Amino acid sequence: MARQRFPSGKPKLGPAKSKKDDGPPAPFKRPPEVLQPFVDTLDERHVYITHVDNKPADFKRKIFAVPVLMNLALALLFAYRAYYILPYYLQILASVLGYPNETTMVVAEMEWADIAPEVAVRALSFMLDFVLVVFVWPWPFDFCLAQEHGNPVAWRWRVGFRDREVVVRRSRKWDEAKGDVVHDAGQASLLMSRIGPATSPLLVAEKTGYLLMSKEWDLDWAAMVDAHTMVDRKMAAIEAFKTVILVFHEEYGWLCVDTKLNEGAEEDEKRRHVFAFRDALAAVGKEDLFYRWIEIIQYESTQPSGFGPEKQEQVAKQIRDLFDKEGINFDKLWNESVGESTPAM
């Protein structure tokens, strides 16, 4: 694990300026020492989340087949387009260089009625290929050959499909606004608002790793290969990667965020209620409503406008209407499955 990944050719920021001996304040703590070889490969500008994906290997294989087929289709489309259009572009280039051929246009000898359609056809062809090369081609290229953070093909080639896999997510552009998350309460709140929904036990339990990419989090393919290299070499048990949140701080260096610090019996009870509600929906063949409910809550609670009392009332009405359309009374089913009044949604 001596490999270091320097983003965009830039060196890492180096060790923390002045690490305090008494350790960081809660909810931050030092990363487990067993993970230090893994932590050393990470980019200090980003926030990372690791967890263990327990979905069956066969299910993961089916999920991964979708982007494989999609990118294979795109690659074949590009190959066909190149085969079809390159000779045409070469003829145009030869004409520009002074070698007349069938694509040469002698404007002085042509009518506008002939010039306009030909110019339009060429312009559309150029525009189509520009869009394909600039906006579409990066998908199959990054899927197979991206280097900075690895790529899905290299990840699956090295790791394969396993019943238990380490998933590593990396923060996207929102981390550019990240400041002093240890001493600045506002920055700490921003961080928690991002990692809270991303580490939801329901989200992690119900979705396999490949489906956890979002506008706020991307998968770090190279980091996942590194994590499995450590596990395969017996440098760390796979359990060491179970829900670890890593963030770099100038004063303390790499830190873990303890999201369960304030959780106790009350949080466990709430989680039990939610799972009981899911089971009740599954019993009447409406389990999909449960996931739609969770998705609505997670989406609305992470919006920049906040999730205050007024917004909560709007979302609660939206959810009740959603359930009513499926013939399910939300409040009644919750009360029957949990035995308590409806939760604050």
Side-chain angles (χ1 to χ4, degrees):
M1 294 294 298
R3 182 177 66 84
Q4 302 288 315
R5 288 189 283 131
F6 300 152
S8 304
K10 296 180 181 179
K12 290 167 71 70
L13 299 177
K17 292 179 180 178
S18 176
K19 293 184 181 180
K20 291 186 176 180
D21 295 334
D22 54 355
F28 301 96
K29 60 184 181 181
R30 306 286 188 194
E33 194 159 330
V34 70
L35 294 183
Q36 195 58 48
F38 170 76
V39 172
D40 287 341
T41 69
L42 303 180
D43 184 345
E44 295 166 357
R45 298 174 301 177
H46 297 298
V47 180
Y48 293 85
I49 298 176
T50 77
H51 77 274
V52 178
D53 183 356
N54 293 308
K55 291 292 183 183
D58 187 56
F59 176 75
K60 294 167 183 168
R61 190 176 289 107
K62 292 176 181 177
I63 292 294
F64 193 68
V66 175
V68 168
L69 293 175
M70 183 186 72
N71 283 282
L72 179 60
L74 287 174
L76 292 174
L77 171 65
F78 271 94
Y80 172 76
R81 180 63 180 173
Y83 173 80
Y84 173 80
I85 203 67
L86 278 180
Y88 176 64
Y89 286 157
L90 290 174
Q91 285 185 315
I92 292 178
L93 178 61
S95 179
V96 171
L97 295 176
Y99 299 95
N101 55 60
E102 61 188 51
T103 65
T104 302
M105 295 176 62
V106 184
V107 177
E109 301 175 2
M110 298 174 66
E111 298 291 336
W112 275 108
D114 297 322
I115 296 174
E118 183 63 25
V119 170
V121 168
R122 295 188 184 190
L124 288 174
S125 180
F126 292 154
M127 184 176 296
L128 171 63
D129 292 321
F130 174 81
V131 170
L132 288 175
V133 171
V134 174
F135 298 104
V136 181
W137 174 246
W139 295 352
F141 180 86
D142 289 344
F143 188 76
C144 300
L145 300 171
Q147 294 297 315
E148 183 176 353
H149 299 291
N151 60 77
V153 170
W155 166 56
R156 280 305 182 196
W157 184 264
R158 295 280 300 278
V159 175
F161 296 92
R162 312 183 187 192
D163 288 329
R164 303 191 74 199
E165 295 178 353
V166 178
V167 175
V168 182
R169 281 175 283 172
R170 182 187 70 255
S171 56
R172 292 187 185 266
K173 287 188 176 296
W174 64 264
D175 59 19
E176 294 176 359
K178 175 173 62 66
D180 187 344
V181 297
V182 174
H183 301 302
D184 187 325
Q187 292 295 323
S189 177
L190 172 65
L191 175 66
M192 295 302 179
S193 71
R194 302 293 186 179
I195 65 178
T199 56
S200 163
L202 291 172
L203 177 70
V204 172
E206 300 301 336
K207 285 191 175 184
T208 189
Y210 198 87
L211 300 180
L212 290 175
M213 289 181 285
S214 67
K215 65 180 181 180
E216 296 178 342
W217 299 95
D218 197 3
L219 292 176
D220 195 310
W221 316 105
M224 290 192 285
V225 171
D226 291 340
H228 277 284
T229 298
M230 290 183 62
V231 172
D232 293 342
R233 294 179 181 177
K234 310 299 182 184
M235 298 170 64
I238 195 169
E239 286 76 12
F241 293 93
K242 186 177 180 181
T243 314
V244 179
I245 299 142
L246 295 162
V247 58
F248 186 82
H249 187 263
E250 286 291 333
E251 186 176 345
Y252 294 101
W254 280 103
L255 298 174
C256 282
V257 184
D258 189 354
T259 57
K260 295 184 179 180
L261 184 66
N262 297 320
E263 290 189 3
E266 184 179 352
E267 291 296 325
D268 290 337
E269 185 70 6
K270 288 180 180 178
R271 191 173 293 117
R272 186 187 66 78
H273 288 171
V274 171
F275 280 111
F277 187 59
R278 181 196 63 181
D279 294 340
L281 284 169
V284 295
K286 297 291 184 179
E287 190 174 5
D288 61 311
L289 275 178
F290 173 79
Y291 300 115
R292 290 162 69 184
W293 170 47
I294 294 299
E295 288 175 357
I296 291 172
I297 295 295
Q298 290 177 337
Y299 174 78
E300 296 293 350
S301 63
T302 56
Q303 295 305 296
S305 57
F307 198 56
E310 184 177 345
K311 184 66 174 178
Q312 290 181 32
E313 289 182 10
Q314 296 175 2
V315 174
K317 183 179 184 305
Q318 178 186 352
I319 291 171
R320 287 188 174 94
D321 291 344
L322 173 66
F323 275 67
D324 287 341
K325 289 179 182 178
E326 297 292 333
I328 302 291
N329 185 303
F330 183 95
D331 300 286
K332 181 180 178 182
L333 184 63
W334 178 274
N335 185 268
E336 290 176 351
S337 59
V338 175
E340 294 184 3
S341 59
T342 309
M345 289 185 287

